[in-house]
Protein backbone atom coordinates (compact mmCIF):
# COMPACT_ATOMS: atom_id res chain seq x y z
CA UNK A 1 0.00 0.00 0.00
CA UNK A 2 1.29 3.50 -0.76
CA UNK A 3 1.03 6.21 1.91
CA UNK A 4 -2.16 7.62 0.39
CA UNK A 5 -3.84 4.21 0.76
CA UNK A 6 -3.65 4.69 4.52
CA UNK A 7 -5.85 7.79 4.56
CA UNK A 8 -8.94 5.91 5.72
CA UNK A 9 -7.20 4.47 8.77
CA UNK A 10 -6.96 5.76 12.33
CA UNK A 11 -3.69 7.43 13.39
CA UNK A 12 -2.94 4.52 15.74
CA UNK A 13 -3.01 2.17 12.74
CA UNK A 14 -1.10 4.52 10.43
CA UNK A 15 1.61 4.90 13.09
CA UNK A 16 2.19 1.13 13.12
CA UNK A 17 1.70 0.27 9.45
CA UNK A 18 1.89 3.14 6.95
CA UNK A 19 4.75 3.31 4.50
CA UNK A 20 6.26 -0.13 4.98
CA UNK A 21 7.50 -1.85 1.83
CA UNK A 22 8.75 -5.40 2.41
CA UNK A 23 11.73 -6.70 0.46
CA UNK A 24 11.84 -10.12 -1.22
CA UNK A 25 13.04 -11.53 2.13
CA UNK A 26 9.59 -11.04 3.63
CA UNK A 27 10.87 -9.36 6.80
CA UNK A 28 8.10 -8.53 9.27
CA UNK A 29 9.78 -5.49 10.82
CA UNK A 30 11.09 -2.58 8.73
CA UNK A 31 14.63 -3.21 7.54
CA UNK A 32 17.50 -0.73 7.69
CA UNK A 33 18.97 0.00 4.29
CA UNK A 34 22.49 0.89 5.43
CA UNK A 35 23.85 1.81 2.04
CA UNK A 36 25.12 5.08 0.67
CA UNK A 37 24.48 4.31 -2.97
CA UNK A 38 22.47 1.95 -5.19
CA UNK A 39 23.46 -0.04 -8.25
CA UNK A 40 21.78 -0.02 -11.63
CA UNK A 41 21.08 -2.90 -13.98
CA UNK A 42 22.78 -1.13 -16.86
CA UNK A 43 24.03 2.24 -18.06
CA UNK A 44 20.65 3.13 -19.51
CA UNK A 45 18.94 2.65 -16.15
CA UNK A 46 21.63 4.73 -14.41
CA UNK A 47 21.04 7.56 -16.88
CA UNK A 48 17.25 7.38 -16.46
CA UNK A 49 17.50 7.47 -12.65
CA UNK A 50 19.83 10.46 -12.74
CA UNK A 51 17.57 12.25 -15.21
CA UNK A 52 14.58 11.40 -13.00
CA UNK A 53 12.73 10.01 -16.00
CA UNK A 54 12.45 6.72 -14.07
CA UNK A 55 11.76 6.45 -10.36
CA UNK A 56 14.18 4.57 -8.12
CA UNK A 57 17.02 4.87 -5.69
CA UNK A 58 20.21 6.73 -6.58
CA UNK A 59 22.05 7.87 -3.49
CA UNK A 60 21.05 7.97 0.18
CA UNK A 61 21.44 11.72 0.50
CA UNK A 62 18.01 11.92 -1.12
CA UNK A 63 16.68 8.40 -1.78
CA UNK A 64 16.84 5.73 0.90
CA UNK A 65 14.11 3.11 1.42
CA UNK A 66 14.19 3.23 5.26
CA UNK A 67 14.03 7.02 5.25
CA UNK A 68 11.25 6.88 2.65
CA UNK A 69 9.18 4.60 4.88
CA UNK A 70 9.53 7.12 7.71
CA UNK A 71 8.54 9.97 5.35
CA UNK A 72 5.48 8.13 4.09
CA UNK A 73 4.38 7.10 7.56
CA UNK A 74 4.68 10.65 8.91
CA UNK A 75 2.87 12.09 5.87
CA UNK A 76 0.05 9.57 6.39
CA UNK A 77 -0.16 10.57 10.05
CA UNK A 78 -0.40 14.26 9.17
CA UNK A 79 -3.36 13.41 6.97
CA UNK A 80 -1.69 13.33 3.57
CA UNK A 81 0.87 15.33 1.73
CA UNK A 82 4.52 14.76 1.03
CA UNK A 83 7.36 14.52 3.51
CA UNK A 84 11.07 15.27 3.43
CA UNK A 85 13.01 13.82 6.38
CA UNK A 86 15.99 15.80 7.65
CA UNK A 87 18.95 15.39 9.99
CA UNK A 88 17.33 17.46 12.77
CA UNK A 89 14.35 19.66 13.52
CA UNK A 90 16.48 22.71 12.79
CA UNK A 91 17.52 21.09 9.51
CA UNK A 92 13.83 20.79 8.68
CA UNK A 93 13.13 24.47 9.33
CA UNK A 94 16.23 25.51 7.37
CA UNK A 95 15.18 23.28 4.46
CA UNK A 96 11.75 24.89 4.49
CA UNK A 97 13.22 28.41 4.48
CA UNK A 98 15.72 27.64 1.71
CA UNK A 99 12.91 26.15 -0.35
CA UNK A 100 10.32 28.92 -0.10
CA UNK A 101 12.22 32.14 0.68
CA UNK A 102 14.60 34.36 -1.21
CA UNK A 103 16.53 37.54 -0.43
CA UNK A 104 14.15 40.45 0.21
CA UNK A 105 11.37 38.24 1.55
CA UNK A 106 9.70 38.81 4.90
CA UNK A 107 8.60 36.27 7.51
CA UNK A 108 6.20 36.69 10.41
CA UNK A 109 6.81 34.29 13.27
CA UNK A 110 5.37 33.73 16.71
CA UNK A 111 7.46 35.26 19.48
CA UNK A 112 7.70 32.21 21.71
CA UNK A 113 9.37 29.90 19.20
CA UNK A 114 11.98 27.30 20.06
CA UNK A 115 15.20 29.27 20.81
CA UNK A 116 17.26 27.98 17.88
CA UNK A 117 14.40 28.76 15.49
CA UNK A 118 14.52 32.39 16.64
CA UNK A 119 18.30 32.40 16.10
CA UNK A 120 17.90 30.84 12.66
CA UNK A 121 15.65 33.73 11.61
CA UNK A 122 17.51 36.55 13.36
CA UNK A 123 21.16 35.47 12.99
CA UNK A 124 21.36 33.33 9.87
CA UNK A 125 18.52 34.10 7.47
CA UNK A 126 18.91 37.82 8.25
CA UNK A 127 22.42 37.62 6.71
CA UNK A 128 20.80 36.67 3.41
CA UNK A 129 18.36 39.56 3.38
CA UNK A 130 15.37 37.75 4.89
CA UNK A 131 13.67 39.86 7.52
CA UNK A 132 11.52 38.45 10.33
CA UNK A 133 8.91 40.15 12.50
CA UNK A 134 7.95 38.42 15.74
CA UNK A 135 4.43 38.75 17.14
CA UNK A 136 2.54 37.22 20.05
CA UNK A 137 1.15 33.82 19.04
CA UNK A 138 -2.51 34.51 19.79
CA UNK A 139 -2.58 38.18 18.72
CA UNK A 140 -4.28 37.78 15.35
CA UNK A 141 -4.39 41.58 14.81
CA UNK A 142 -0.64 41.65 15.46
CA UNK A 143 -0.10 39.10 12.67
CA UNK A 144 -2.33 41.12 10.32
CA UNK A 145 -0.57 44.40 11.15
CA UNK A 146 2.84 42.83 10.53
CA UNK A 147 1.96 41.79 6.97
CA UNK A 148 4.02 43.47 4.24
CA UNK A 149 3.92 43.13 0.46
CA UNK A 150 7.14 41.04 0.73
CA UNK A 151 5.71 38.68 3.37
CA UNK A 152 5.97 35.08 2.15
CA UNK A 153 5.68 32.91 5.23
CA UNK A 154 3.85 32.79 8.56
CA UNK A 155 5.59 30.46 10.99
CA UNK A 156 4.19 29.39 14.35
CA UNK A 157 4.48 26.79 17.07
CA UNK A 158 1.31 25.74 18.91
CA UNK A 159 1.07 25.14 21.80
CA UNK A 160 4.02 27.37 22.65
CA UNK A 161 6.81 26.38 24.99
CA UNK A 162 6.94 26.75 27.99
CA UNK A 163 3.60 28.52 28.66
CA UNK A 164 1.39 26.52 26.26
CA UNK A 165 -0.28 29.41 24.50
CA UNK A 166 -2.45 28.11 21.67
CA UNK A 167 -2.81 29.58 18.16
CA UNK A 168 -6.22 29.64 16.49
CA UNK A 169 -5.21 27.59 13.44
CA UNK A 170 -8.42 28.25 11.49
CA UNK A 171 -8.02 32.01 11.94
CA UNK A 172 -4.35 31.86 10.98
CA UNK A 173 -5.16 29.90 7.82
CA UNK A 174 -7.80 32.46 6.90
CA UNK A 175 -5.27 35.28 7.32
CA UNK A 176 -2.62 33.44 5.29
CA UNK A 177 -5.07 32.64 2.48
CA UNK A 178 -6.41 36.19 2.31
CA UNK A 179 -2.88 37.50 1.77
CA UNK A 180 -1.55 34.69 -0.38
CA UNK A 181 1.21 33.69 2.04
CA UNK A 182 2.26 30.25 3.27
CA UNK A 183 1.43 29.06 6.78
CA UNK A 184 3.89 26.67 8.46
CA UNK A 185 3.14 25.03 11.80
CA UNK A 186 5.79 23.50 14.04
CA UNK A 187 3.82 20.50 15.35
CA UNK A 188 6.45 19.18 17.76
CA UNK A 189 4.39 19.61 20.93
CA UNK A 190 1.23 17.83 19.76
CA UNK A 191 2.45 15.50 17.02
CA UNK A 192 -0.19 14.44 14.46
CA UNK A 193 -1.79 12.22 17.10
CA UNK A 194 -3.11 15.26 18.96
CA UNK A 195 -3.25 17.91 16.21
CA UNK A 196 -3.26 17.83 12.43
CA UNK A 197 -2.67 21.35 11.09
CA UNK A 198 -3.58 20.24 7.53
CA UNK A 199 -7.19 19.70 8.72
CA UNK A 200 -7.33 23.49 9.20
CA UNK A 201 -5.65 24.23 5.86
CA UNK A 202 -2.05 24.88 6.93
CA UNK A 203 0.40 24.51 4.02
CA UNK A 204 3.39 23.04 5.84
CA UNK A 205 4.06 21.10 9.03
CA UNK A 206 7.55 20.87 10.50
CA UNK A 207 8.79 18.39 13.08
CA UNK A 208 11.69 17.73 15.32
CA UNK A 209 11.59 13.92 15.34
CA UNK A 210 14.01 14.17 18.26
CA UNK A 211 11.12 14.83 20.63
CA UNK A 212 7.89 12.79 20.79
CA UNK A 213 8.26 11.01 17.43
CA UNK A 214 11.25 9.13 18.80
CA UNK A 215 9.92 9.67 22.28
CA UNK A 216 12.73 7.80 23.95
CA UNK A 217 15.57 10.27 23.68
CA UNK A 218 17.76 8.33 21.26
CA UNK A 219 18.23 10.16 17.95
CA UNK A 220 18.24 13.63 16.38
CA UNK A 221 16.02 14.07 13.32
CA UNK A 222 13.36 16.21 11.70
CA UNK A 223 10.87 16.45 8.87
CA UNK A 224 8.92 18.88 6.70
CA UNK A 225 5.52 17.79 5.42
CA UNK A 226 3.96 19.78 2.58
CA UNK A 227 0.34 19.53 1.52
CA UNK A 228 1.13 20.42 -2.05
CA UNK A 229 3.31 18.43 -4.46
CA UNK A 230 4.91 21.50 -6.02
CA UNK A 231 6.05 22.68 -2.59
CA UNK A 232 7.38 19.20 -1.92
CA UNK A 233 9.44 19.35 -5.10
CA UNK A 234 11.05 22.58 -3.89
CA UNK A 235 11.83 20.95 -0.53
CA UNK A 236 13.21 17.85 -2.22
CA UNK A 237 15.51 19.97 -4.41
CA UNK A 238 17.00 21.58 -1.29
CA UNK A 239 17.43 18.18 0.38
CA UNK A 240 19.04 16.69 -2.70
CA UNK A 241 21.38 19.62 -3.30
CA UNK A 242 22.16 20.93 0.19
CA UNK A 243 22.11 17.52 1.92
CA UNK A 244 20.59 17.94 5.42
CA UNK A 245 19.57 14.28 5.20
CA UNK A 246 18.29 11.84 7.83
CA UNK A 247 20.40 8.72 8.30
CA UNK A 248 18.72 5.34 7.59
CA UNK A 249 19.55 4.15 11.11
CA UNK A 250 17.84 7.15 12.69
CA UNK A 251 14.84 6.72 10.37
CA UNK A 252 14.52 3.14 11.60
CA UNK A 253 14.63 4.27 15.25
CA UNK A 254 11.93 6.86 14.49
CA UNK A 255 9.80 4.18 12.81
CA UNK A 256 9.94 2.19 16.04
CA UNK A 257 9.06 5.36 17.94
CA UNK A 258 6.08 6.08 15.69
CA UNK A 259 4.62 2.63 16.36
CA UNK A 260 3.87 3.63 19.95
CA UNK A 261 3.26 7.34 19.31
CA UNK A 262 -0.50 7.23 19.76
CA UNK A 263 -0.28 5.29 23.03
CA UNK A 264 2.44 7.54 24.34
CA UNK A 265 0.80 10.87 23.48
CA UNK A 266 -2.38 9.98 25.36
CA UNK A 267 -0.37 8.60 28.29
CA UNK A 268 1.79 11.76 28.44
CA UNK A 269 -1.35 13.89 28.31
CA UNK A 270 -3.06 11.84 31.01
CA UNK A 271 -0.09 12.12 33.40
CA UNK A 272 0.34 15.82 32.61
CA UNK A 273 -3.31 16.61 33.31
CA UNK A 274 -3.19 14.86 36.67
CA UNK A 275 0.11 16.50 37.58
CA UNK A 276 -1.21 19.96 36.62
CA UNK A 277 -4.30 19.45 38.79
CA UNK A 278 -2.16 18.33 41.71
CA UNK A 279 0.28 21.25 41.31
CA UNK A 280 -2.66 23.68 41.39
CA UNK A 281 -3.49 22.50 44.91
CA UNK A 282 0.06 22.80 46.28
CA UNK A 283 0.57 25.81 48.59
CA UNK A 284 4.06 26.56 47.17
CA UNK A 285 2.70 26.84 43.62
CA UNK A 286 1.38 30.19 42.42
CA UNK A 287 0.23 29.44 38.89
CA UNK A 288 0.06 26.38 36.64
CA UNK A 289 0.21 26.73 32.85
CA UNK A 290 -1.46 23.75 31.18
CA UNK A 291 -4.07 24.06 28.41
CA UNK A 292 -6.04 21.18 29.91
CA UNK A 293 -6.90 23.30 32.95
CA UNK A 294 -10.05 25.38 32.66
CA UNK A 295 -8.03 28.26 34.20
CA UNK A 296 -5.84 28.36 31.06
CA UNK A 297 -6.86 31.29 28.80
CA UNK A 298 -6.80 29.07 25.68
CA UNK A 299 -8.44 26.02 27.23
CA UNK A 300 -11.54 26.06 24.99
CA UNK A 301 -9.51 26.59 21.83
CA UNK A 302 -7.11 23.78 22.75
CA UNK A 303 -10.05 21.49 23.55
CA UNK A 304 -11.52 22.16 20.08
CA UNK A 305 -8.28 21.95 18.15
CA UNK A 306 -6.41 19.15 19.93
CA UNK A 307 -7.35 15.58 20.83
CA UNK A 308 -5.60 15.93 24.20
CA UNK A 309 -3.51 18.60 25.88
CA UNK A 310 0.02 17.22 25.59
CA UNK A 311 2.84 16.57 28.01
CA UNK A 312 4.23 20.01 28.90
CA UNK A 313 3.30 21.54 32.26
CA UNK A 314 4.84 24.76 33.55
CA UNK A 315 4.30 26.42 36.92
CA UNK A 316 5.55 29.27 39.07
CA UNK A 317 6.61 28.86 42.69
CA UNK A 318 6.57 31.30 45.57
CA UNK A 319 9.77 33.35 45.53
CA UNK A 320 12.14 33.44 42.58
CA UNK A 321 15.17 31.74 41.10
CA UNK A 322 16.41 30.42 44.45
CA UNK A 323 13.14 28.65 45.22
CA UNK A 324 12.71 27.36 41.66
CA UNK A 325 16.25 25.97 41.66
CA UNK A 326 15.70 24.39 45.11
CA UNK A 327 12.62 22.52 43.79
CA UNK A 328 14.66 21.30 40.79
CA UNK A 329 17.65 20.32 42.95
CA UNK A 330 15.47 18.43 45.45
CA UNK A 331 14.36 15.96 42.77
CA UNK A 332 16.09 12.57 42.75
CA UNK A 333 14.37 10.83 39.82
CA UNK A 334 13.41 13.61 37.37
CA UNK A 335 16.06 14.40 34.76
CA UNK A 336 17.44 17.93 34.93
CA UNK A 337 17.62 18.61 31.21
CA UNK A 338 16.03 20.98 28.75
CA UNK A 339 15.01 18.16 26.41
CA UNK A 340 11.35 17.24 26.12
CA UNK A 341 9.10 14.59 24.68
CA UNK A 342 10.82 11.66 26.39
CA UNK A 343 9.39 8.75 28.37
CA UNK A 344 11.52 10.15 31.21
CA UNK A 345 10.12 13.20 32.99
CA UNK A 346 12.43 16.20 32.61
CA UNK A 347 12.57 19.40 34.64
CA UNK A 348 14.10 22.71 33.65
CA UNK A 349 14.34 26.36 34.69
CA UNK A 350 13.63 28.20 31.42
CA UNK A 351 14.90 31.64 32.55
CA UNK A 352 18.44 30.32 33.09
CA UNK A 353 18.56 27.65 30.36
CA UNK A 354 16.36 27.58 27.25
CA UNK A 355 15.56 31.30 27.57
CA UNK A 356 18.84 32.27 29.30
CA UNK A 357 20.22 34.21 26.36
CA UNK A 358 17.23 36.52 26.09
CA UNK A 359 17.52 40.01 27.58
CA UNK A 360 15.56 40.71 30.80
CA UNK A 361 13.14 42.75 28.71
CA UNK A 362 12.57 39.93 26.19
CA UNK A 363 12.03 37.48 29.04
CA UNK A 364 9.52 39.82 30.67
CA UNK A 365 7.68 40.24 27.37
CA UNK A 366 7.53 36.45 26.99
CA UNK A 367 6.43 36.05 30.64
CA UNK A 368 9.39 33.80 31.48
CA UNK A 369 9.95 34.62 35.16
CA UNK A 370 12.71 33.46 37.51
CA UNK A 371 10.01 31.59 39.45
CA UNK A 372 9.00 29.45 36.44
CA UNK A 373 9.66 25.69 36.17
CA UNK A 374 8.89 23.57 33.11
CA UNK A 375 8.15 19.86 33.27
CA UNK A 376 8.01 17.54 30.27
CA UNK A 377 5.84 14.90 31.88
CA UNK A 378 7.04 11.38 31.15
CA UNK A 379 5.53 7.97 31.51
CA UNK A 380 6.66 7.09 35.03
CA UNK A 381 3.91 6.50 37.62
CA UNK A 382 2.23 9.78 38.52
CA UNK A 383 2.70 9.18 42.27
CA UNK A 384 6.46 8.88 41.83
CA UNK A 385 6.67 12.09 39.76
CA UNK A 386 4.57 13.91 42.38
CA UNK A 387 6.66 12.58 45.28
CA UNK A 388 9.84 13.78 43.56
CA UNK A 389 8.41 17.29 43.15
CA UNK A 390 6.71 17.38 46.56
CA UNK A 391 10.07 17.16 48.36
CA UNK A 392 11.22 20.58 47.17
CA UNK A 393 7.77 22.16 46.99
CA UNK A 394 6.95 21.23 50.60
CA UNK A 395 10.16 22.93 51.71
CA UNK A 396 9.31 26.11 49.82
CA UNK A 397 5.81 26.08 51.31
CA UNK A 398 7.24 25.60 54.82
CA UNK A 399 9.66 28.53 54.67
CA UNK A 400 8.15 31.15 52.38
CA UNK A 401 9.23 34.26 54.27
CA UNK A 402 12.76 33.19 55.08
CA UNK A 403 13.46 32.31 51.48
CA UNK A 404 11.45 35.10 49.90
CA UNK A 405 13.84 37.66 51.42
CA UNK A 406 16.82 36.05 49.74
CA UNK A 407 15.58 35.47 46.30
CA UNK A 408 17.75 36.49 43.42
CA UNK A 409 16.32 37.64 40.14
CA UNK A 410 13.11 39.16 38.90
CA UNK A 411 10.45 36.43 39.10
C1 LIG B 1 13.62 20.71 19.55
C2 LIG B 1 12.75 21.57 18.76
C3 LIG B 1 13.13 22.01 17.49
C4 LIG B 1 14.48 21.69 16.89
O1 LIG B 1 14.67 20.33 16.73
P1 LIG B 1 16.11 19.60 16.78
O2 LIG B 1 15.79 18.21 16.44
O3 LIG B 1 16.64 19.80 18.17
O4 LIG B 1 16.98 20.28 15.78
C5 LIG B 1 12.24 22.80 16.78
N1 LIG B 1 11.05 23.15 17.29
C6 LIG B 1 10.65 22.73 18.51
C7 LIG B 1 9.31 23.14 19.02
C8 LIG B 1 11.48 21.94 19.29
O5 LIG B 1 11.09 21.56 20.51
Amino acid sequence: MSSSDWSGFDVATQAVRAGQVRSAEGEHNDSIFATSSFVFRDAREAAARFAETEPGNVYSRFTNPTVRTFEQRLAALEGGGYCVATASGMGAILTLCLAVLRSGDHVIASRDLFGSTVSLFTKILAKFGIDTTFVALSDIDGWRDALQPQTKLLFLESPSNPLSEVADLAAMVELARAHGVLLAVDNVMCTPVLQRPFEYGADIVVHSATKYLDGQGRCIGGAVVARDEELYNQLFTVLRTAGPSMSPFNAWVFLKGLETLSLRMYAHSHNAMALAEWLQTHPAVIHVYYPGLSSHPHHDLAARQQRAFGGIVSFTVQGGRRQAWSVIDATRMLSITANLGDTKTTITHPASTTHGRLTDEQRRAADIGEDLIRISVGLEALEDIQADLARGLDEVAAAPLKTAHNYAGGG
Side-chain angles (χ1 to χ4, degrees):
M1 291 167 88
S2 86
S3 68
S4 52
D5 296 333
W6 290 96
S7 60
F9 289 82
D10 185 85
V11 281
T13 310
Q14 293 167 335
V16 174
R17 296 269 179 191
Q20 186 175 15
V21 181
R22 293 206 173 92
S23 79
E25 300 293 343
E27 68 280 7
H28 188 201
N29 188 29
D30 302 282
S31 43
I32 308 178
F33 284 86
T35 180
S36 47
S37 67
F38 298 83
V39 294
F40 312 106
R41 268 185 294 251
D42 51 29
R44 189 212 56 83
E45 186 179 74
R49 295 267 178 95
F50 271 81
E52 292 182 88
T53 53
E54 274 178 23
N57 300 312
V58 176
Y59 188 53
S60 282
R61 189 192 320 119
F62 52 99
T63 53
N64 179 277
T66 314
V67 176
R68 187 178 313 119
T69 298
F70 169 78
E71 290 170 339
Q72 298 210 339
R73 190 168 299 176
L74 187 60
L77 284 166
E78 285 292 358
Y82 309 84
C83 176
V84 166
T86 55
S88 66
M90 293 318 304
I93 300 171
L94 176 64
T95 298
L96 164 65
C97 292
L98 291 176
V100 303
L101 300 173
R102 64 177 66 229
S103 180
D105 283 348
H106 175 245
V107 178
I108 312 175
S110 56
R111 204 179 45 195
D112 306 320
L113 291 177
F114 184 69
S116 297
T117 312
V118 175
S119 301
L120 177 68
F121 284 120
T122 56
K123 299 203 175 109
I124 298 185
L125 294 173
K127 285 201 300 188
F128 300 95
I130 293 162
D131 194 33
T132 304
T133 305
F134 293 93
V135 300
L137 180 64
S138 53
D139 176 12
I140 191 87
D141 294 331
W143 288 85
R144 192 176 296 109
D145 292 346
L147 283 163
Q148 302 175 10
Q150 314 90 286
T151 306
K152 283 282 159 55
L153 175 68
L154 311 184
F155 188 99
L156 65 85
E157 218 178 282
S158 180
S160 71
N161 173 27
L163 301 183
S164 291
E165 282 192 45
V166 180
D168 185 336
L169 294 181
M172 290 302 299
V173 165
E174 201 179 298
L175 185 71
R177 292 262 172 88
H179 293 83
V181 300
L182 295 168
L183 175 66
V185 176
D186 181 329
N187 204 21
V188 165
M189 295 300 171
C190 278
T191 81
V193 170
L194 302 187
Q195 168 175 281
R196 290 175 162 191
F198 289 164
E199 285 173 0
Y200 296 87
D203 301 289
I204 301 142
V205 173
V206 300
H207 278 286
S208 166
T210 317
K211 312 295 167 53
Y212 289 106
L213 301 190
D214 173 3
Q216 290 142 86
R218 300 166 294 193
C219 288
I220 301 279
V224 192
V225 193
R227 221 154 45 98
D228 170 82
E229 192 171 3
E230 199 182 309
L231 202 52
Y232 165 79
N233 290 335
Q234 292 170 268
L235 294 164
F236 182 77
T237 300
V238 173
L239 177 82
R240 178 175 184 151
T241 313
S245 320
M246 177 180 282
S247 87
F249 176 77
N250 287 3
W252 182 83
V253 172
F254 295 135
L255 284 170
K256 302 315 293 175
L258 286 179
E259 288 181 18
T260 56
L261 182 67
S262 186
L263 278 177
R264 286 187 287 105
M265 290 315 293
Y266 287 106
H268 281 294
S269 301
H270 184 81
N271 257 0
M273 185 73 210
L275 188 73
E277 283 172 342
W278 173 77
L279 283 167
Q280 262 191 328
T281 66
H282 198 286
V285 172
I286 295 176
H287 190 76
V288 181
Y289 299 86
Y290 186 64
L293 297 174
S294 54
S295 60
H296 191 283
H298 303 147
H299 170 71
D300 291 344
L301 178 59
R304 268 204 315 277
Q305 206 164 267
Q306 302 173 201
R307 290 170 185 82
F309 300 102
I312 306 298
V313 176
S314 296
F315 60 98
T316 52
V317 292
Q318 290 185 32
R321 172 177 292 202
R322 186 189 148 117
Q323 286 73 14
W325 280 21
S326 75
V327 171
I328 293 169
D329 291 344
T331 60
R332 291 173 195 160
M333 177 184 78
L334 269 50
S335 312
I336 304 176
T337 170
N339 197 29
L340 59 87
D342 199 298
T343 54
K344 297 181 176 74
T345 299
T346 68
I347 186 166
T348 192
H349 181 247
S352 56
T353 60
T354 51
H355 295 68
R357 274 177 291 179
L358 300 186
T359 63
D360 286 347
E361 196 181 326
Q362 285 171 323
R363 262 198 301 277
R364 242 192 314 277
D367 246 343
I368 311 294
E370 291 286 347
D371 54 358
L372 184 73
I373 292 174
R374 187 200 73 192
I375 310 271
S376 167
V377 184
L379 302 182
E380 305 95 335
L382 177 68
E383 308 84 83
D384 293 325
I385 301 170
Q386 280 176 1
D388 215 30
L389 286 166
R391 204 174 301 111
L393 286 172
D394 290 350
E395 252 174 59
V396 169
L401 286 178
K402 191 176 109 224
T403 46
H405 281 298
N406 297 331
Y407 87 86

